[in-house]
Amino acid sequence: MPEITVNRRSLLLAGLGAAGAGLLAACADGPKPPPLVEPSATAVAQTEAKRTATGRERPVTVTATADTVDLGGGTTARTWTYGALPGTAIRTTAGDTLVATLNNNLPVPTSLHWHGLALRNDMDGVPPVTMRPVGAGGSFTYRFVTDRPGTYWFHPHVGLQLDRGLYAPLIVEDPREPLAYDEEWVVVLDDWLDGVTGTPDQALAELRKGMGGGASRGGHDMSGMSGHGMGGMDGMDGTGGAGGTGGGPAPSAPAPSFMLMGATSDLLGGDAGDVAYPHHLVNGRTAGDPEVYRSAPGRRVRLRIVNAGGDTAYRLALGGHRLTVTHTDGFPVRHEEVDALLVGMGERYDVLVTLGDGVFPLTALAEGKNAAGRALVRTAAGGEAPAAAYRPAELDGRILAAADLRAADEVRLPAREPDRTHRIELTGGMARYDWALDGRPFDMANPTARPFLVAAGERVRLEFVNRTAMWHPMHLHGHTFSLGEGGPRKDTAIVLPGRTVTCDFDADNPGRWMTHCHNAYHGEAGMMGLVAYRA
Protein backbone atom coordinates (compact mmCIF):
# COMPACT_ATOMS: atom_id res chain seq x y z
CA MET A 1 0.00 0.00 0.00
CA PRO A 2 1.61 3.36 -0.96
CA GLU A 3 2.46 5.59 1.99
CA ILE A 4 1.08 9.13 1.94
CA THR A 5 2.98 11.55 4.15
CA VAL A 6 1.05 14.54 5.43
CA ASN A 7 3.23 17.21 6.99
CA ARG A 8 1.88 18.92 10.14
CA ARG A 9 2.35 22.53 11.08
CA SER A 10 4.12 23.13 14.38
CA LEU A 11 4.47 25.91 16.91
CA LEU A 12 7.22 28.46 16.46
CA LEU A 13 9.44 28.22 19.52
CA ALA A 14 10.87 31.69 19.81
CA GLY A 15 12.40 33.62 22.66
CA LEU A 16 12.81 30.53 24.87
CA GLY A 17 15.87 29.22 26.65
CA ALA A 18 17.54 26.18 25.18
CA ALA A 19 16.17 23.78 27.79
CA GLY A 20 12.63 25.09 27.55
CA ALA A 21 12.71 25.12 23.77
CA GLY A 22 13.93 21.54 23.69
CA LEU A 23 11.17 20.41 26.07
CA LEU A 24 8.41 22.15 24.12
CA ALA A 25 9.82 20.94 20.81
CA ALA A 26 9.55 17.36 22.01
CA CYS A 27 5.90 17.91 22.88
CA ALA A 28 4.95 19.96 19.80
CA ASP A 29 6.68 17.92 17.15
CA GLY A 30 5.90 14.44 18.41
CA PRO A 31 8.42 11.59 18.24
CA LYS A 32 11.83 12.13 16.85
CA PRO A 33 12.45 10.86 13.30
CA PRO A 34 13.88 7.34 13.02
CA PRO A 35 17.62 6.87 12.55
CA LEU A 36 18.76 8.30 9.23
CA VAL A 37 21.52 7.23 6.85
CA GLU A 38 24.61 9.28 7.63
CA PRO A 39 26.51 10.95 4.75
CA SER A 40 29.53 8.80 5.68
CA ALA A 41 27.53 5.56 6.03
CA THR A 42 28.65 2.26 4.54
CA ALA A 43 25.58 2.30 2.29
CA VAL A 44 26.84 5.54 0.69
CA ALA A 45 30.25 4.03 -0.06
CA GLN A 46 28.66 0.83 -1.38
CA THR A 47 26.46 2.79 -3.78
CA GLU A 48 29.47 4.73 -5.03
CA ALA A 49 31.36 1.47 -5.63
CA LYS A 50 28.53 0.26 -7.89
CA ARG A 51 28.76 3.24 -10.24
CA THR A 52 30.29 2.56 -13.64
CA ALA A 53 33.85 3.88 -13.36
CA THR A 54 36.78 4.06 -15.77
CA GLY A 55 39.44 4.14 -13.06
CA ARG A 56 40.77 7.42 -14.46
CA GLU A 57 41.10 10.43 -12.17
CA ARG A 58 40.53 14.03 -13.21
CA PRO A 59 42.39 16.27 -10.73
CA VAL A 60 41.43 19.96 -10.62
CA THR A 61 41.89 22.87 -8.25
CA VAL A 62 39.17 25.43 -7.60
CA THR A 63 40.14 28.59 -5.71
CA ALA A 64 37.45 30.82 -4.24
CA THR A 65 38.79 34.34 -3.89
CA ALA A 66 37.92 38.03 -3.70
CA ASP A 67 38.20 39.49 -7.17
CA THR A 68 37.49 42.48 -9.36
CA VAL A 69 35.63 41.52 -12.51
CA ASP A 70 35.15 43.42 -15.77
CA LEU A 71 31.51 43.14 -16.82
CA GLY A 72 32.06 45.16 -20.00
CA GLY A 73 31.28 48.70 -21.02
CA GLY A 74 33.54 50.12 -18.34
CA THR A 75 31.65 48.43 -15.49
CA THR A 76 33.75 46.65 -12.90
CA ALA A 77 32.63 45.01 -9.69
CA ARG A 78 34.34 43.81 -6.56
CA THR A 79 33.01 40.33 -5.84
CA TRP A 80 33.97 36.71 -5.16
CA THR A 81 34.84 34.32 -8.00
CA TYR A 82 36.61 31.09 -8.89
CA GLY A 83 39.24 33.16 -10.70
CA ALA A 84 37.06 34.19 -13.66
CA LEU A 85 33.43 35.01 -14.42
CA PRO A 86 32.02 32.46 -15.00
CA GLY A 87 34.60 30.11 -13.51
CA THR A 88 36.53 27.88 -15.88
CA ALA A 89 34.48 24.84 -16.90
CA ILE A 90 35.53 21.48 -15.50
CA ARG A 91 35.31 18.64 -18.02
CA THR A 92 35.37 14.93 -17.33
CA THR A 93 34.41 11.84 -19.33
CA ALA A 94 31.58 9.69 -17.97
CA GLY A 95 33.01 7.22 -15.48
CA ASP A 96 35.99 9.37 -14.52
CA THR A 97 36.61 10.18 -10.87
CA LEU A 98 36.68 13.92 -10.26
CA VAL A 99 39.25 14.91 -7.65
CA ALA A 100 38.53 18.58 -7.01
CA THR A 101 40.43 20.49 -4.35
CA LEU A 102 38.72 23.65 -3.11
CA ASN A 103 41.07 26.30 -1.75
CA ASN A 104 39.13 28.88 0.22
CA ASN A 105 40.78 32.30 0.02
CA LEU A 106 37.55 34.04 1.09
CA PRO A 107 37.19 35.67 4.53
CA VAL A 108 34.29 33.31 5.38
CA PRO A 109 33.51 29.57 5.13
CA THR A 110 32.28 28.15 1.83
CA SER A 111 31.68 24.85 -0.01
CA LEU A 112 31.18 23.37 -3.48
CA HIS A 113 27.84 21.84 -4.46
CA TRP A 114 27.80 19.82 -7.69
CA HIS A 115 24.40 20.76 -9.05
CA GLY A 116 22.50 17.99 -10.83
CA LEU A 117 24.90 15.12 -10.22
CA ALA A 118 23.76 11.93 -8.53
CA LEU A 119 26.95 11.60 -6.52
CA ARG A 120 27.91 10.18 -3.14
CA ASN A 121 26.18 12.03 -0.31
CA ASP A 122 29.28 13.06 1.63
CA MET A 123 30.55 14.96 -1.46
CA ASP A 124 27.35 16.97 -2.07
CA GLY A 125 28.78 20.08 -0.42
CA VAL A 126 25.88 21.23 1.79
CA PRO A 127 27.08 22.32 5.23
CA PRO A 128 26.06 21.32 7.84
CA VAL A 129 23.88 18.60 6.27
CA THR A 130 26.56 16.59 4.42
CA MET A 131 29.84 18.16 5.55
CA ARG A 132 31.45 20.88 7.59
CA PRO A 133 32.01 24.13 5.71
CA VAL A 134 35.49 24.78 4.36
CA GLY A 135 36.81 27.49 6.64
CA ALA A 136 38.51 30.70 5.59
CA GLY A 137 42.05 29.82 4.52
CA GLY A 138 41.22 26.12 4.46
CA SER A 139 40.91 23.49 1.76
CA PHE A 140 38.95 20.34 1.07
CA THR A 141 39.17 17.69 -1.67
CA TYR A 142 35.98 16.37 -3.20
CA ARG A 143 36.30 12.93 -4.74
CA PHE A 144 33.48 11.15 -6.60
CA VAL A 145 32.63 9.26 -9.80
CA THR A 146 30.97 11.32 -12.55
CA ASP A 147 29.09 8.46 -14.16
CA ARG A 148 26.28 10.32 -15.97
CA PRO A 149 27.11 12.43 -19.06
CA GLY A 150 25.48 15.82 -19.29
CA THR A 151 25.58 19.55 -18.59
CA TYR A 152 25.93 20.38 -14.90
CA TRP A 153 27.45 23.18 -12.83
CA PHE A 154 28.87 23.90 -9.40
CA HIS A 155 28.46 26.65 -6.83
CA PRO A 156 28.55 27.13 -3.05
CA HIS A 157 25.72 26.00 -0.80
CA VAL A 158 26.34 28.58 1.92
CA GLY A 159 24.07 31.57 2.39
CA LEU A 160 23.78 33.78 -0.70
CA GLN A 161 27.29 33.14 -2.05
CA LEU A 162 25.76 31.80 -5.28
CA ASP A 163 24.50 35.31 -6.11
CA ARG A 164 28.04 36.65 -6.18
CA GLY A 165 30.36 35.28 -8.86
CA LEU A 166 30.95 31.80 -7.46
CA TYR A 167 29.75 29.46 -10.20
CA ALA A 168 31.13 27.48 -13.14
CA PRO A 169 29.99 24.77 -15.59
CA LEU A 170 30.72 21.08 -15.12
CA ILE A 171 30.56 19.10 -18.36
CA VAL A 172 30.55 15.30 -18.24
CA GLU A 173 31.23 14.14 -21.78
CA ASP A 174 29.79 11.02 -23.33
CA PRO A 175 32.49 8.70 -24.75
CA ARG A 176 29.83 7.41 -27.16
CA GLU A 177 28.32 10.78 -28.01
CA PRO A 178 25.26 10.18 -30.23
CA LEU A 179 24.87 13.79 -31.39
CA ALA A 180 26.63 15.08 -34.50
CA TYR A 181 27.93 18.66 -34.31
CA ASP A 182 31.00 20.68 -35.24
CA GLU A 183 31.48 22.97 -32.24
CA GLU A 184 30.34 23.52 -28.69
CA TRP A 185 29.51 26.74 -26.86
CA VAL A 186 28.80 26.84 -23.13
CA VAL A 187 26.41 29.70 -22.29
CA VAL A 188 25.98 30.79 -18.66
CA LEU A 189 23.22 33.25 -17.78
CA ASP A 190 23.23 35.37 -14.63
CA ASP A 191 21.54 38.32 -12.95
CA TRP A 192 24.05 40.67 -11.32
CA LEU A 193 24.08 43.22 -8.52
CA ASP A 194 27.14 42.38 -6.37
CA GLY A 195 29.61 45.23 -6.22
CA VAL A 196 27.34 47.46 -8.33
CA THR A 197 24.32 48.35 -6.18
CA GLY A 198 25.37 46.47 -3.07
CA THR A 199 25.66 42.85 -1.98
CA PRO A 200 23.22 39.94 -1.98
CA ASP A 201 23.14 40.11 1.81
CA GLN A 202 22.08 43.72 1.71
CA ALA A 203 19.36 42.81 -0.78
CA LEU A 204 18.05 40.04 1.46
CA ALA A 205 18.10 42.33 4.50
CA GLU A 206 15.75 44.71 2.66
CA LEU A 207 13.54 41.90 1.37
CA ARG A 208 13.20 40.41 4.86
CA LYS A 209 11.48 43.62 5.99
CA GLY A 210 8.61 42.62 3.71
CA MET A 211 6.04 44.88 2.16
CA GLY A 212 3.68 45.22 5.12
CA GLY A 213 0.39 43.42 5.68
CA GLY A 214 -2.01 43.56 2.76
CA ALA A 215 0.51 45.03 0.32
CA SER A 216 0.05 43.90 -3.24
CA ARG A 217 2.69 43.18 -5.81
CA GLY A 218 2.40 42.30 -9.46
CA GLY A 219 -1.39 42.37 -9.16
CA HIS A 220 -1.52 39.68 -6.45
CA ASP A 221 -2.93 40.22 -2.95
CA MET A 222 -0.22 39.03 -0.59
CA SER A 223 -2.18 39.43 2.66
CA GLY A 224 -2.88 36.37 4.75
CA MET A 225 0.22 34.46 3.62
CA SER A 226 1.76 33.81 6.98
CA GLY A 227 4.89 32.02 8.10
CA HIS A 228 7.89 32.49 10.29
CA GLY A 229 11.21 34.22 9.79
CA MET A 230 14.44 32.28 9.56
CA GLY A 231 17.84 33.06 10.98
CA GLY A 232 19.63 31.64 7.92
CA MET A 233 23.40 31.38 7.56
CA ASP A 234 24.26 35.04 6.95
CA GLY A 235 27.24 34.88 9.25
CA MET A 236 28.81 32.26 7.01
CA ASP A 237 28.12 34.20 3.85
CA GLY A 238 29.66 37.49 4.92
CA THR A 239 28.03 40.88 4.79
CA GLY A 240 28.58 44.17 3.04
CA GLY A 241 29.88 47.32 4.62
CA ALA A 242 33.45 48.41 5.16
CA GLY A 243 34.70 44.90 5.76
CA GLY A 244 32.86 43.26 2.86
CA THR A 245 34.02 42.55 -0.64
CA GLY A 246 30.77 43.35 -2.40
CA GLY A 247 31.59 46.99 -3.00
CA GLY A 248 28.28 48.39 -1.73
CA PRO A 249 27.39 52.09 -2.03
CA ALA A 250 29.36 54.71 -0.16
CA PRO A 251 27.83 55.69 3.21
CA SER A 252 26.93 59.13 1.88
CA ALA A 253 25.05 57.74 -1.14
CA PRO A 254 21.31 57.11 -0.95
CA ALA A 255 20.63 53.46 -0.26
CA PRO A 256 19.45 51.64 -3.40
CA SER A 257 16.22 49.67 -3.32
CA PHE A 258 16.76 46.02 -4.11
CA MET A 259 13.05 45.18 -4.18
CA LEU A 260 11.63 44.78 -7.68
CA MET A 261 8.08 46.04 -8.15
CA GLY A 262 5.60 45.23 -10.93
CA ALA A 263 7.52 42.39 -12.60
CA THR A 264 4.92 40.13 -14.19
CA SER A 265 4.97 37.35 -16.79
CA ASP A 266 2.22 35.25 -18.30
CA LEU A 267 4.74 32.46 -18.88
CA LEU A 268 5.54 32.43 -15.14
CA GLY A 269 1.93 32.73 -14.05
CA GLY A 270 2.17 36.28 -12.67
CA ASP A 271 4.88 37.59 -10.38
CA ALA A 272 8.26 37.23 -12.08
CA GLY A 273 10.82 38.07 -9.40
CA ASP A 274 11.76 39.78 -6.16
CA VAL A 275 15.12 41.44 -6.81
CA ALA A 276 16.07 44.49 -8.90
CA TYR A 277 19.28 43.68 -10.81
CA PRO A 278 21.21 46.40 -12.66
CA HIS A 279 22.72 43.89 -15.11
CA HIS A 280 21.92 40.61 -16.83
CA LEU A 281 24.98 38.74 -18.04
CA VAL A 282 25.75 36.18 -20.71
CA ASN A 283 29.10 34.56 -19.94
CA GLY A 284 29.99 37.38 -17.58
CA ARG A 285 29.35 40.26 -20.01
CA THR A 286 26.67 42.93 -20.19
CA ALA A 287 24.38 43.41 -23.19
CA GLY A 288 26.16 46.63 -24.21
CA ASP A 289 29.59 44.97 -24.42
CA PRO A 290 28.82 41.31 -25.13
CA GLU A 291 30.85 38.20 -25.69
CA VAL A 292 31.24 37.37 -29.40
CA TYR A 293 31.15 33.75 -30.50
CA ARG A 294 32.92 33.42 -33.85
CA SER A 295 32.20 30.62 -36.27
CA ALA A 296 31.34 30.06 -39.95
CA PRO A 297 28.09 29.69 -41.90
CA GLY A 298 26.73 26.17 -41.95
CA ARG A 299 28.52 25.06 -38.81
CA ARG A 300 26.42 22.97 -36.43
CA VAL A 301 26.89 24.11 -32.84
CA ARG A 302 25.86 22.52 -29.57
CA LEU A 303 24.91 25.11 -26.96
CA ARG A 304 25.07 24.00 -23.33
CA ILE A 305 22.93 26.54 -21.47
CA VAL A 306 23.06 27.09 -17.68
CA ASN A 307 20.93 29.55 -15.70
CA ALA A 308 23.15 30.49 -12.75
CA GLY A 309 20.94 33.42 -11.74
CA GLY A 310 19.62 34.11 -8.27
CA ASP A 311 16.11 35.43 -9.03
CA THR A 312 15.57 35.52 -12.82
CA ALA A 313 14.09 33.18 -15.41
CA TYR A 314 15.39 33.83 -18.91
CA ARG A 315 13.60 33.51 -22.24
CA LEU A 316 16.44 32.64 -24.62
CA ALA A 317 16.52 32.90 -28.42
CA LEU A 318 19.09 33.19 -31.20
CA GLY A 319 17.99 35.77 -33.75
CA GLY A 320 17.33 34.33 -37.20
CA HIS A 321 17.53 30.70 -36.06
CA ARG A 322 15.46 27.88 -34.63
CA LEU A 323 16.84 25.67 -31.88
CA THR A 324 16.64 21.89 -31.59
CA VAL A 325 16.36 20.86 -27.94
CA THR A 326 18.27 17.64 -27.20
CA HIS A 327 18.71 17.57 -23.41
CA THR A 328 17.47 19.15 -20.22
CA ASP A 329 19.27 18.92 -16.89
CA GLY A 330 21.81 16.55 -18.42
CA PHE A 331 19.35 13.94 -19.73
CA PRO A 332 18.36 13.39 -23.38
CA VAL A 333 14.84 14.16 -24.60
CA ARG A 334 12.95 13.56 -27.81
CA HIS A 335 14.20 16.33 -30.04
CA GLU A 336 11.97 19.39 -30.33
CA GLU A 337 12.45 22.39 -32.62
CA VAL A 338 11.57 25.70 -30.98
CA ASP A 339 12.12 29.42 -31.35
CA ALA A 340 12.91 30.13 -27.71
CA LEU A 341 13.44 28.46 -24.33
CA LEU A 342 12.24 29.39 -20.85
CA VAL A 343 15.07 28.59 -18.43
CA GLY A 344 14.55 28.82 -14.68
CA MET A 345 17.32 29.22 -12.11
CA GLY A 346 19.31 26.00 -11.83
CA GLU A 347 17.94 24.52 -15.07
CA ARG A 348 20.10 23.51 -18.02
CA TYR A 349 19.27 22.89 -21.67
CA ASP A 350 21.33 21.57 -24.56
CA VAL A 351 20.34 22.65 -28.06
CA LEU A 352 21.68 22.24 -31.59
CA VAL A 353 21.67 25.02 -34.17
CA THR A 354 23.03 25.34 -37.71
CA LEU A 355 24.46 28.83 -38.07
CA GLY A 356 23.49 31.23 -40.83
CA ASP A 357 25.67 33.90 -42.47
CA GLY A 358 25.88 37.20 -40.57
CA VAL A 359 25.83 38.63 -37.06
CA PHE A 360 23.12 37.33 -34.74
CA PRO A 361 22.12 38.19 -31.16
CA LEU A 362 21.74 35.45 -28.57
CA THR A 363 19.24 37.28 -26.36
CA ALA A 364 18.42 36.27 -22.79
CA LEU A 365 15.25 38.17 -21.94
CA ALA A 366 14.89 38.57 -18.17
CA GLU A 367 11.36 37.22 -18.06
CA GLY A 368 8.92 39.85 -16.80
CA LYS A 369 11.66 42.29 -15.80
CA ASN A 370 11.91 44.52 -18.88
CA ALA A 371 15.63 43.82 -19.26
CA ALA A 372 17.90 41.41 -21.11
CA GLY A 373 21.39 40.04 -21.47
CA ARG A 374 22.94 39.02 -24.75
CA ALA A 375 25.91 37.63 -26.61
CA LEU A 376 26.66 37.83 -30.35
CA VAL A 377 27.26 35.09 -32.89
CA ARG A 378 29.40 36.27 -35.80
CA THR A 379 29.89 34.09 -38.89
CA ALA A 380 30.69 36.86 -41.38
CA ALA A 381 33.72 39.16 -41.52
CA GLY A 382 31.55 42.19 -42.17
CA GLY A 383 28.17 43.30 -40.98
CA GLU A 384 27.01 45.36 -38.06
CA ALA A 385 25.71 43.91 -34.84
CA PRO A 386 22.13 44.85 -33.95
CA ALA A 387 21.66 47.38 -31.18
CA ALA A 388 21.74 46.12 -27.61
CA ALA A 389 18.00 46.79 -27.24
CA TYR A 390 17.09 44.75 -30.35
CA ARG A 391 14.54 42.05 -29.60
CA PRO A 392 14.62 39.03 -31.96
CA ALA A 393 11.24 37.94 -33.29
CA GLU A 394 12.01 34.41 -32.12
CA LEU A 395 11.39 35.50 -28.52
CA ASP A 396 7.69 35.64 -29.41
CA GLY A 397 7.61 32.41 -31.41
CA ARG A 398 7.23 28.87 -30.11
CA ILE A 399 8.57 29.00 -26.54
CA LEU A 400 9.45 25.73 -24.91
CA ALA A 401 9.08 24.86 -21.24
CA ALA A 402 10.18 21.58 -19.66
CA ALA A 403 6.63 20.23 -19.44
CA ASP A 404 6.51 20.28 -23.26
CA LEU A 405 9.28 17.67 -23.47
CA ARG A 406 9.28 13.88 -23.37
CA ALA A 407 12.15 11.78 -22.08
CA ALA A 408 14.21 9.90 -24.63
CA ASP A 409 13.36 6.20 -24.59
CA GLU A 410 16.71 5.14 -23.12
CA VAL A 411 16.32 7.31 -20.00
CA ARG A 412 12.56 7.22 -19.42
CA LEU A 413 11.72 6.23 -15.86
CA PRO A 414 9.86 2.89 -16.04
CA ALA A 415 6.20 3.12 -15.03
CA ARG A 416 5.57 2.14 -11.41
CA GLU A 417 3.15 3.12 -8.70
CA PRO A 418 4.80 5.19 -5.97
CA ASP A 419 5.55 3.45 -2.68
CA ARG A 420 5.57 6.78 -0.90
CA THR A 421 4.16 10.20 -1.68
CA HIS A 422 5.22 13.46 -0.05
CA ARG A 423 2.81 16.30 -0.74
CA ILE A 424 4.84 19.46 -0.15
CA GLU A 425 3.16 22.85 -0.03
CA LEU A 426 5.14 25.88 -1.18
CA THR A 427 4.10 28.71 1.12
CA GLY A 428 4.86 32.33 2.00
CA GLY A 429 4.87 35.65 0.23
CA MET A 430 6.39 39.09 -0.14
CA ALA A 431 4.32 40.71 2.60
CA ARG A 432 6.45 39.07 5.31
CA TYR A 433 9.10 37.44 3.10
CA ASP A 434 8.33 34.14 4.81
CA TRP A 435 9.00 31.62 2.03
CA ALA A 436 8.85 28.05 3.35
CA LEU A 437 7.74 24.47 2.77
CA ASP A 438 4.52 23.49 4.53
CA GLY A 439 4.50 26.82 6.37
CA ARG A 440 7.72 26.06 8.24
CA PRO A 441 11.02 27.69 7.30
CA PHE A 442 13.95 25.28 7.20
CA ASP A 443 16.32 25.50 10.15
CA MET A 444 19.93 24.88 9.13
CA ALA A 445 20.83 24.65 12.83
CA ASN A 446 18.59 21.56 13.09
CA PRO A 447 18.35 20.19 9.53
CA THR A 448 17.08 16.69 10.43
CA ALA A 449 14.17 17.92 12.58
CA ARG A 450 11.39 17.23 10.06
CA PRO A 451 12.74 15.19 7.14
CA PHE A 452 10.76 13.85 4.21
CA LEU A 453 11.55 10.20 4.86
CA VAL A 454 12.27 7.65 2.14
CA ALA A 455 13.62 4.10 2.12
CA ALA A 456 16.10 2.55 -0.29
CA GLY A 457 14.43 0.86 -3.25
CA GLU A 458 11.21 2.85 -3.10
CA ARG A 459 9.58 4.73 -5.94
CA VAL A 460 9.02 8.14 -4.36
CA ARG A 461 6.62 10.83 -5.52
CA LEU A 462 7.10 14.48 -4.57
CA GLU A 463 4.03 16.61 -5.21
CA PHE A 464 5.00 20.28 -5.09
CA VAL A 465 1.81 22.27 -4.46
CA ASN A 466 2.32 26.00 -5.01
CA ARG A 467 0.13 27.98 -2.58
CA THR A 468 1.93 31.25 -3.32
CA ALA A 469 1.50 34.03 -5.87
CA MET A 470 4.95 33.42 -7.37
CA TRP A 471 6.67 30.69 -9.38
CA HIS A 472 9.40 28.55 -7.80
CA PRO A 473 12.15 26.46 -9.46
CA MET A 474 12.26 23.42 -7.15
CA HIS A 475 15.51 21.46 -7.05
CA LEU A 476 16.26 17.99 -5.66
CA HIS A 477 19.80 16.99 -4.78
CA GLY A 478 21.35 13.60 -5.51
CA HIS A 479 18.63 12.32 -7.87
CA THR A 480 16.82 13.00 -11.11
CA PHE A 481 13.08 12.71 -11.31
CA SER A 482 10.53 12.18 -14.05
CA LEU A 483 8.53 15.36 -14.57
CA GLY A 484 5.09 13.81 -14.80
CA GLU A 485 4.44 10.46 -16.45
CA GLY A 486 6.82 10.01 -19.39
CA GLY A 487 8.16 13.52 -18.96
CA PRO A 488 11.80 14.59 -19.08
CA ARG A 489 14.30 13.49 -16.46
CA LYS A 490 15.19 16.57 -14.45
CA ASP A 491 16.56 17.78 -11.12
CA THR A 492 15.00 21.27 -11.23
CA ALA A 493 11.39 22.03 -12.18
CA ILE A 494 9.36 25.23 -12.43
CA VAL A 495 6.20 25.21 -10.29
CA LEU A 496 3.78 27.96 -11.33
CA PRO A 497 1.43 29.75 -8.88
CA GLY A 498 -1.62 27.68 -8.01
CA ARG A 499 -0.22 24.60 -9.79
CA THR A 500 0.93 21.17 -8.61
CA VAL A 501 3.97 19.50 -10.18
CA THR A 502 4.52 15.76 -9.73
CA CYS A 503 8.09 14.45 -9.60
CA ASP A 504 8.79 10.69 -9.38
CA PHE A 505 12.21 9.24 -8.60
CA ASP A 506 13.77 5.98 -7.49
CA ALA A 507 15.37 6.05 -4.05
CA ASP A 508 18.68 4.60 -5.17
CA ASN A 509 21.23 7.02 -3.68
CA PRO A 510 21.24 6.82 0.13
CA GLY A 511 21.94 9.81 2.30
CA ARG A 512 20.50 13.18 3.26
CA TRP A 513 19.49 15.35 0.34
CA MET A 514 18.18 18.88 0.16
CA THR A 515 15.12 19.87 -1.84
CA HIS A 516 14.61 23.60 -2.16
CA CYS A 517 13.58 26.56 -4.25
CA HIS A 518 16.51 27.62 -6.44
CA ASN A 519 15.55 31.25 -6.12
CA ALA A 520 18.54 32.01 -3.88
CA TYR A 521 16.56 34.46 -1.76
CA HIS A 522 13.58 32.16 -1.26
CA GLY A 523 15.86 29.30 -0.28
CA GLU A 524 17.77 31.42 2.18
CA ALA A 525 14.50 32.70 3.68
CA GLY A 526 13.49 29.10 4.40
CA MET A 527 11.98 27.39 1.33
CA MET A 528 14.07 24.26 1.86
CA GLY A 529 13.53 20.74 3.12
CA LEU A 530 15.46 17.51 3.65
CA VAL A 531 14.78 14.23 1.85
CA ALA A 532 16.40 11.63 4.10
CA TYR A 533 16.83 7.86 3.87
CA ARG A 534 15.92 5.69 6.83
CA ALA A 535 18.94 3.85 8.23
Side-chain angles (χ1 to χ4, degrees), residues 121-135:
N121 189 224
D122 53 355
M123 297 290 113
D124 194 43
V126 183
V129 176
T130 65
M131 64 176 292
R132 295 178 179 176
V134 182

Side-chain angles (χ1 to χ4, degrees), residues 440-514:
R440 292 187 298 253
F442 190 74
D443 183 4
M444 272 293 186
N446 190 16
T448 60
R450 300 181 188 92
F452 301 111
L453 293 172
V454 303
E458 291 182 332
R459 169 66 57 83
V460 179
R461 174 167 292 173
L462 302 182
E463 293 181 345
F464 292 110
V465 183
N466 191 349
R467 303 296 189 193
T468 81
M470 189 175 174
W471 70 286
H472 302 282
M474 296 304 298
H475 174 50
L476 174 65
H477 289 211
H479 303 76
T480 62
F481 49 77
S482 175
L483 186 60
E485 186 176 352
R489 298 288 298 276
K490 288 182 65 62
D491 54 73
T492 308
I494 290 175
V495 187
L496 297 178
R499 301 286 185 87
T500 297
V501 170
T502 299
C503 304
D504 288 359
F505 69 92
D506 288 332
D508 57 5
N509 197 17
R512 304 176 182 185
W513 304 100
M514 299 298 298

Side-chain angles (χ1 to χ4, degrees), residues 1-370:
M1 197 60 189
E3 178 177 338
I4 306 294
T5 303
V6 179
N7 298 297
R8 299 171 300 147
R9 294 182 181 272
S10 64
L11 297 173
L12 175 65
L13 304 174
L16 300 175
L23 177 61
L24 284 177
C27 297
D29 296 333
K32 293 181 179 179
L36 306 176
V37 172
E38 297 278 351
S40 57
T42 300
V44 172
Q46 290 173 338
T47 301
E48 176 77 351
K50 294 176 183 177
R51 302 190 202 280
T52 302
T54 63
R56 295 189 301 265
E57 293 188 353
R58 173 74 170 92
V60 298
T61 299
V62 178
T63 300
T65 188
D67 198 1
T68 298
V69 295
D70 178 5
L71 303 179
T75 300
T76 61
R78 188 69 176 160
T79 187
W80 298 342
T81 72
Y82 295 135
L85 186 69
T88 302
I90 294 175
R91 288 183 177 268
T92 72
T93 299
D96 290 354
T97 297
L98 180 61
V99 183
T101 298
L102 169 63
N103 294 324
N104 183 12
N105 291 348
L106 301 175
V108 295
T110 192
S111 73
L112 292 180
H113 167 59
W114 310 92
H115 183 115
L117 285 177
L119 75 173
R120 55 183 300 154
N121 189 224
D122 53 355
M123 297 290 113
D124 194 43
V126 183
V129 176
T130 65
M131 64 176 292
R132 295 178 179 176
V134 182
S139 64
F140 180 82
T141 298
Y142 297 82
R143 183 186 184 94
F144 55 89
V145 176
T146 58
D147 64 338
R148 179 73 225 175
T151 301
Y152 307 98
W153 62 302
F154 59 95
H155 59 81
H157 220 285
V158 175
L160 290 167
Q161 292 181 8
L162 165 63
D163 210 30
R164 295 180 185 252
L166 296 169
Y167 55 81
L170 170 61
I171 310 300
V172 181
E173 296 175 338
D174 190 338
R176 295 177 294 277
E177 177 59 63
L179 297 180
Y181 53 93
D182 303 307
E183 302 169 8
E184 185 176 295
W185 185 23
V186 180
V187 175
V188 182
L189 313 175
D190 190 22
D191 41 19
W192 191 272
L193 62 81
D194 194 35
V196 178
T197 54
T199 69
D201 301 278
Q202 291 168 342
L204 181 61
E206 180 183 321
L207 293 169
R208 281 191 189 277
K209 296 175 184 177
M211 299 180 64
S216 64
R217 180 170 177 270
H220 299 287
D221 181 12
M222 305 303 289
S223 63
M225 291 190 176
S226 62
H228 313 297
M230 174 183 173
M233 301 176 70
D234 294 344
M236 293 177 66
D237 188 45
T239 58
T245 61
S252 59
S257 176
F258 298 101
M259 188 178 292
L260 181 63
M261 305 295 291
T264 60
S265 162
D266 290 341
L267 285 177
L268 297 175
D271 198 344
D274 295 347
V275 181
Y277 288 93
H279 300 296
H280 295 274
L281 309 180
V282 178
N283 286 346
R285 306 291 293 183
T286 61
D289 191 3
E291 177 181 77
V292 179
Y293 181 81
R294 299 181 185 277
S295 187
R299 300 284 282 178
R300 192 161 175 81
V301 181
R302 179 180 189 168
L303 276 67
R304 296 182 183 263
I305 300 157
V306 179
N307 185 349
D311 179 72
T312 306
Y314 290 100
R315 192 191 311 189
L316 187 80
L318 178 61
H321 295 76
R322 302 203 83 200
L323 309 173
T324 300
V325 181
T326 64
H327 295 71
T328 182
D329 290 0
F331 277 70
V333 297
R334 293 181 185 174
H335 292 191
E336 289 280 351
E337 192 173 75
V338 301
D339 296 299
L341 299 170
L342 180 66
V343 190
M345 295 85 77
E347 289 190 296
R348 290 93 60 213
Y349 284 91
D350 291 26
V351 303
L352 293 175
V353 60
T354 300
L355 297 180
D357 188 0
V359 184
F360 309 99
L362 180 73
T363 300
L365 184 71
E367 186 62 31
K369 294 187 174 184
N370 195 30

